[in-house]
Amino acid sequence: MLPAKRENAAVQKQADFAEFVELTPTAPITTARHGWRAKCLQRLIRLDLPVPRTVALSCEGVRAIAAGQLPDTAKLVAMFGGDFLVSVRGSPENPEWGGPGTVLNVGMNDARRDILAARLGREAAEALYLRFVQAFATHVARLDPDMFSAAASPTALAAALAAYEAETDEPFPQDPARQLADVLRSMARAWEGTTARLLRQAKGAPAEAALGLVVQEMALGIGPGLSGSGTIQSVDSITGGAQITGRFRGQSQGRRASPEETLYLTRDPRGASLEEASPELFAQLFSHAQACRARLREEMQIEFTVENGRLAVIDAVRVARSSRAAVKIAVTLAQDGVISREEALLRVEPRALSELLHYQVDPLSPRDGLGRGIAASPGAATGRIVFTAAAAQASAARDEPCVLVRRETAPEDIRGMHAAVAVLTERGGITSHAAVIARGLGLPCIVGASEISLNPKERTLRGADGRILREGDTITIDGTNGEVLVGAAAMLEPALDDGFRTLLHWADNVRDIGIRANADTPDDARTARMFEAEGIGLCRTEHMFFDEDRLTVMREMIFADTAYDRRIALERLLPMQRADFTALFDIMAGLPVCIRLFDPPLHEFLPQDREGIRELAEALDKPLSDVTRRVEALSEFNPMLGMRGVRLGITVPEIYDMQARAIFEATIEASRRGAQVVPEIMIPLVSAAREVEIVKTRIDAVAAAVKNELKAEFTYRLGVMVETPRAALRAGEIAEHAAFLSFGTNDLTQMTYGLSRDDAGRFMGVYVSQRVYAEDPFHVLDVEGVGELLLIGAQRGRERRPGITISVCGEHGGNPESIAFCRAAGFDYVSCSPFRVPVARLAAAHFALLAPREGGWVK
Ligand code: PEP
Ligand code: MG
């Protein structure tokens, strides 16, 4: 007998019995108080599904248990009546947050075993008991699982009971109330454990996320007649197409089941089915699945048990699904009127769409990892290793897929990148040359793979584990998660089906910010159209000059000693550029096309090594010493901050003149045979209004000359790329000369932080892991710093020129968080790599639905 004081304490330690609520159609159950599973089971009960008696324990009650206040489990046992045998399942607020595993057969003891043996046979009764002892020993008493892993056999139960007693110095508990109390306590504490906490927080659970518990009368699935357990769902988890799938295993319980007596659910030539074994039961199940779909407004997987022909529905969970299936399911539910289109849109995570656009490594296949880097462009591809652009081209000519592996890429590697199926660089960050180009081309790409070291001389690659691969060896680049794999991995195909297109059309109807694509070539433009971008927001013209024939003319232009020689070279480039622009205008069929004038430092077009210089001297028919001197003269200490962009346009104005003429002539040509073109011309790297004024005067003059020569009319829009902090600050006066301002957030981030976009990859990992930066600012817009410059620039630009078009065309344009920022700031559009357009369209729709703007938006 306890002394009075302790007795009182014991009474106080019992949680309020009211924390147990039996699930009935009207019981006061909420997801917030009792978790999703309790709420879901109540919904099944409301649908009149045969759910065994179930009691929910609130999150508050579970918290009290974890803190040491035990509920009165004897009363709970009494609620279930004489034949107490239950399962206990976790019920967190969100099923994605995980939780403790289910414990079945709580209440099993020697006496119950004997009663069940009379009904089900000794073997079945012992199997049920054994299963509980195993779960209790490992999950509740925390004993070594190896000691309790034996399969059911005539001696297994006795051995498990003996092992339990030997390890704990007490016999296996026989009192169901004590068993239940121990199970509840261990589940409550497991939820509070550090590992469980970290795991769920990684899945987005808040720190205070709580767990409810559900105690349910066991439906056995073992015994005479048709008995067993299974699952059923009406869609395929991979494709999302309508398809009854699942399993039924005779004489089994829960998800762990014996392989014998496995039945197909529907009629199947490969073997017996539940549909044939019991058409009535199958019909019931089918109608339950339909009811769940219609009333729970979701594709559910129903877990059921059959005991002597009687069906019990013990649980239902949202069907696990691939990204492709998620799109298909959401669209079909909306088309069937089960959910609204808006809800369908919100049910698909925008980033998941990028998985559908590319081949992916099959998540179920084995992976042989060589090392990791930054996942710079999604998708996966397999090919042989090549170390130079020339080798990549040779490989493509032999029809052999190759992966271009470089320390970092330079503009002259572009042809090699075109020829490769994927790109891997040892250095570089998310906006490095390799990353930007690969995203544009839709090539899987990993950059900054510092775990892997490259030896270009020996043409080898050393993996994180020391393995050496050579040129010609096969690797797979998983650009979605940044892993380099040895050999050819199994792949899943892209899935641009009707569901995908339909969902994105619905997204277009609700979003309130424009989405354009960055496209430099006709191929890019076709991809942009395929993904239904609303135009081209950035055409980087320098990318047009790297074809072999053009590069030579470009170099001639750079080496010209006199204005006359330069003009001759530019005259040869003019028809090539005109053809480029005409092709873009034709493909874009009247949609806006924003062409950026030449931006990079000239020296990027020059050879980097002796051999290249010698070849160039030969091609130009100039003395080697002249060429070497010129190359040296053009080299800069810091080319990114040197003679590039508009600075080149002002000091060598003939280049912009030629480009403007090509654009205008192409405008006339394309408008004659198709939709009217109003080209947009954009000046890069501006930092002073006067730069714009000077360039504008020349371009206006070129326009007037072309109109006069060709006796044609056209209009055009001239705008400025805001990518230096000074341009953002002086956006007011710049706007006086500009019809639009487009923020180049790659350079703007680089210059705001003073952080080289090509070198930051080396330390970005450390910076982010130590939380110096919350994210890589080249990837997710730095809202506080760079974002403030965007706001200042937009505000000053609009003040001086109301109605001016404002956009972002840096890589951030395809990043959902950054799109949210641009939309909130009232920008007109974002422009991103073509392959990111679908994600941007859906993300923009989400923001419009979640935070509608007053007064709407006029496209
Ligand atoms: C930018 O700087 O944001 C931009 C789009 O231009 P680039 O990446 O070509 O420098
Ligand atoms: Mg730039």
Side-chain angles (χ1 to χ4, degrees):
M1 177 85 187
L2 293 167
K5 217 170 135 205
R6 284 189 55 202
E7 211 174 52
N8 262 346
V11 169
Q12 278 201 345
K13 269 197 147 201
Q14 289 193 344
D16 183 357
F17 183 60
E19 298 300 344
F20 292 123
V21 183
E22 176 162 359
L23 295 189
T24 60
T26 53
I29 298 290
T30 63
T31 307
R33 277 198 75 201
H34 299 93
W36 72 273
R37 178 168 265 130
K39 189 68 211 170
C40 179
L41 283 166
Q42 186 186 41
R43 291 192 174 123
L44 301 183
I45 291 168
R46 285 186 183 149
L47 295 179
D48 246 354
L49 265 52
V51 178
R53 170 173 293 183
T54 308
V55 170
L57 179 54
S58 71
C59 299
E60 209 180 316
V62 175
R63 228 180 244 131
I65 294 173
Q69 272 181 272
L70 273 183
D72 185 350
T73 46
K75 280 195 183 163
L76 183 54
V77 169
M79 281 173 85
F80 282 90
D83 294 344
F84 181 81
L85 197 59
V86 296
S87 65
V88 186
R89 289 186 164 84
S91 180
E93 193 177 330
N94 181 330
E96 305 290 320
W97 298 346
T102 300
V103 182
L104 300 180
N105 305 335
V106 183
M108 263 326 254
N109 53 21
D110 295 353
R112 177 132 298 265
R113 182 245 343 250
D114 294 341
I115 295 167
L116 285 175
R119 206 173 95 208
L120 310 173
R122 190 148 197 99
E123 199 185 322
E126 292 211 339
L128 296 176
Y129 195 3
L130 173 65
R131 183 149 182 203
F132 176 52
V133 175
Q134 288 173 331
F136 193 92
T138 53
H139 300 306
V140 180
R142 310 258 160 218
L143 302 180
D144 181 358
D146 287 347
M147 298 176 64
F148 295 91
S149 58
S153 74
T155 55
L157 175 65
L161 288 170
Y164 182 91
E165 187 162 349
E167 288 295 308
T168 60
D169 283 339
E170 62 163 10
F172 189 75
Q174 296 290 307
D175 173 16
R178 146 96 200 268
Q179 292 177 353
L180 184 59
D182 286 355
V183 168
L184 295 180
R185 183 173 37 218
S186 89
M187 289 173 94
R189 291 202 173 148
W191 180 256
E192 300 293 342
T194 311
T195 319
R197 200 179 275 275
L198 288 175
L199 276 177
R200 65 177 174 266
Q201 284 177 4
K203 290 177 187 159
E208 68 284 4
L211 176 78
L213 289 170
V214 161
V215 181
Q216 188 182 67
E217 190 179 328
M218 283 297 303
L220 287 181
I222 291 180
L226 181 63
S227 296
S229 65
T231 59
I232 182 170
Q233 64 188 53
S234 3
V235 287
D236 180 279
S237 287
I238 301 292
T239 65
Q243 168 91 51
I244 300 273
T245 37
R247 56 170 170 74
F248 177 77
R249 294 211 176 103
Q251 302 303 332
S252 76
Q253 172 173 73
R255 284 169 193 265
R256 199 213 286 178
S258 60
E260 65 266 11
E261 291 198 57
T262 299
L263 300 184
Y264 292 99
L265 287 183
T266 50
R267 283 169 208 282
D268 196 301
R270 290 168 296 178
S273 69
L274 183 62
E275 191 174 7
E276 288 155 309
S278 175
E280 313 77 51
L281 197 106
F282 178 78
Q284 270 179 52
L285 264 177
F286 183 72
S287 86
H288 292 338
Q290 294 305 305
C292 277
R293 180 179 194 265
R295 303 279 295 280
L296 304 188
R297 305 163 61 252
E298 178 54 290
E299 288 294 354
M300 303 295 286
Q301 183 189 58
I302 295 178
E303 195 174 338
F304 64 93
T305 301
V306 181
E307 200 178 329
N308 201 8
R310 225 184 61 241
L311 178 68
V313 170
I314 57 178
D315 201 7
V317 294
R318 196 174 158 267
V319 165
R321 60 200 70 183
S322 68
S323 300
R324 177 179 176 185
V327 171
K328 177 81 179 159
I329 289 171
V331 168
T332 314
L333 285 174
Q335 284 171 333
D336 292 351
V338 178
I339 59 174
S340 65
R341 289 179 176 186
E342 288 74 19
E343 194 164 349
L345 288 167
L346 291 172
R347 285 189 185 189
V348 179
E349 164 59 32
R351 282 190 176 86
L353 289 187
S354 69
E355 275 179 36
L356 310 186
L357 313 180
H358 306 276
Y359 278 90
Q360 297 293 332
V361 174
D362 183 344
L364 303 177
S365 70
R367 304 172 76 93
D368 181 6
L370 186 70
R372 290 187 161 277
I374 299 169
S377 177
T382 300
R384 291 176 185 278
I385 297 173
V386 293
F387 291 104
T388 61
Q393 286 175 287
S395 180
R398 293 193 304 274
D399 259 349
E400 255 178 35
C402 66
V403 175
L404 178 61
V405 181
R406 305 280 291 157
R407 195 148 268 165
E408 62 211 335
T409 62
E412 62 206 19
D413 290 319
I414 286 192
R415 279 164 292 140
M417 293 178 77
H418 270 283
V421 295
V423 177
L424 168 64
T425 66
E426 193 185 284
R427 298 184 185 154
I430 201 80
T431 57
S432 63
H433 179 265
V436 171
I437 301 291
R439 277 198 293 278
L441 295 175
L443 285 183
C445 175
I446 298 175
V447 297
S450 48
E451 283 185 19
I452 293 177
S453 58
L454 177 69
N455 186 333
K457 264 202 183 139
E458 293 186 2
R459 304 194 167 225
T460 57
L461 205 58
R462 177 192 286 271
D465 57 2
R467 258 187 297 179
I468 305 274
L469 298 191
R470 298 176 191 288
E471 189 154 45
D473 287 348
T474 298
I475 55 172
T476 298
I477 298 297
D478 186 342
T480 306
N481 76 1
E483 199 177 9
V484 183
L485 306 171
V486 177
M491 299 278 186
L492 298 180
E493 297 211 355
L496 297 184
D497 51 18
D498 283 352
F500 175 86
R501 288 185 193 289
T502 306
L503 189 81
L504 287 176
H505 285 162
W506 294 347
D508 292 344
N509 288 337
V510 297
R511 73 181 155 80
D512 51 14
I513 183 166
I515 312 285
R516 293 198 195 178
N518 294 352
D520 309 332
T521 62
D523 273 350
D524 291 348
R526 276 186 278 272
T527 312
R529 292 295 313 262
M530 177 167 80
F531 294 138
E532 301 181 57
E534 290 163 299
I536 293 179
L538 172 63
C539 167
R540 294 173 163 106
T541 47
E542 58 273 14
H543 293 167
M544 296 168 159
F545 291 106
F546 285 101
D547 277 353
E548 196 76 73
D549 50 342
R550 296 179 182 203
L551 194 58
T552 313
V553 188
M554 196 62 194
R555 285 171 168 169
E556 278 175 30
M557 192 272 292
I558 295 168
F559 278 85
D561 291 324
T562 62
Y564 175 79
D565 285 351
R566 180 171 300 135
R567 216 178 57 230
I568 299 288
L570 284 166
E571 270 170 15
R572 285 174 61 204
L573 287 172
L574 175 72
M576 302 178 189
Q577 279 269 268
R578 186 172 53 223
D580 292 333
F581 298 138
T582 314
L584 285 187
F585 293 149
D586 283 347
I587 294 166
M588 297 310 290
L591 292 173
V593 176
C594 180
I595 297 167
R596 178 178 76 185
L597 299 173
F598 199 77
D599 180 41
L602 283 183
H603 90 111
E604 282 195 6
F605 287 86
L606 300 180
Q608 309 295 329
D609 54 20
R610 273 166 168 275
E611 188 52 30
I613 294 180
R614 196 182 341 269
E615 277 173 19
L616 181 59
E618 242 165 55
L620 298 177
D621 196 18
K622 285 189 188 281
L624 186 64
S625 54
D626 276 14
V627 176
T628 311
R629 211 175 310 115
R630 191 90 176 107
V631 170
E632 277 166 9
L634 281 170
S635 88
E636 292 173 293
F637 283 111
N638 200 339
M640 265 293 183
L641 300 178
M643 176 80 143
R644 57 171 283 216
V646 69
R647 298 162 197 171
L648 204 57
I650 286 183
T651 45
V652 191
E654 299 92 332
I655 303 178
Y656 282 9
D657 287 354
M658 179 278 288
Q659 289 196 299
R661 176 171 280 272
I663 292 169
F664 296 138
E665 291 179 0
T667 298
I668 294 169
E669 200 175 321
S671 302
R672 271 193 191 133
R673 56 165 177 262
Q676 185 66 39
V677 177
V678 179
E680 296 177 356
I681 301 180
M682 181 154 74
I683 312 172
L685 217 79
V686 164
S687 55
R690 180 76 185 131
E691 290 168 327
V692 186
E693 222 181 320
I694 294 174
V695 172
K696 184 173 185 317
T697 307
R698 285 192 76 111
I699 292 181
D700 283 343
V702 175
V706 173
K707 284 179 187 171
N708 192 28
E709 285 161 30
L710 298 182
K711 304 279 169 278
E713 268 312 314
F714 57 83
T715 53
Y716 75 100
R717 303 177 75 217
L718 185 79
V720 167
M721 196 156 173
V722 179
E723 50 186 346
T724 65
R726 192 176 192 283
L729 296 171
R730 307 306 299 166
E733 61 205 31
I734 287 174
E736 287 184 1
H737 313 286
F740 59 89
L741 299 179
S742 188
F743 290 96
T745 46
N746 302 334
D747 273 310
L748 193 56
T749 301
Q750 166 166 270
M751 296 195 204
T752 305
Y753 276 85
L755 189 65
S756 159
R757 51 199 269 198
D758 295 306
D759 300 317
R762 283 204 203 163
F763 55 86
M764 193 56 76
V766 177
Y767 256 54
V768 173
S769 69
Q770 296 194 13
R771 319 236 0 107
V772 182
Y773 302 155
E775 303 267 4
D776 177 347
F778 288 111
H779 187 51
V780 180
L781 186 73
D782 158 43
V783 169
E784 291 166 356
V786 180
E788 187 169 359
L789 283 172
L790 259 57
L791 295 180
I792 291 172
Q795 187 206 347
R796 295 185 183 172
R798 282 182 178 140
E799 264 168 24
R800 205 62 83 84
R801 190 173 182 135
I804 191 168
T805 306
I806 308 270
S807 62
V808 158
C809 64
E811 290 304 302
H812 302 92
N815 171 264
E817 288 87 347
S818 315
I819 295 172
F821 176 87
C822 296
R823 176 183 173 264
F827 285 19
D828 297 279
Y829 70 85
V830 293
S831 187
C832 56
S833 305
F835 281 90
R836 300 174 89 188
V837 164
V839 173
R841 284 163 72 195
L842 183 56
H846 276 206
F847 300 130
L849 289 170
L850 296 172
R853 264 189 209 170
E854 274 175 34
W857 180 65
V858 185
K859 272 194 208 178

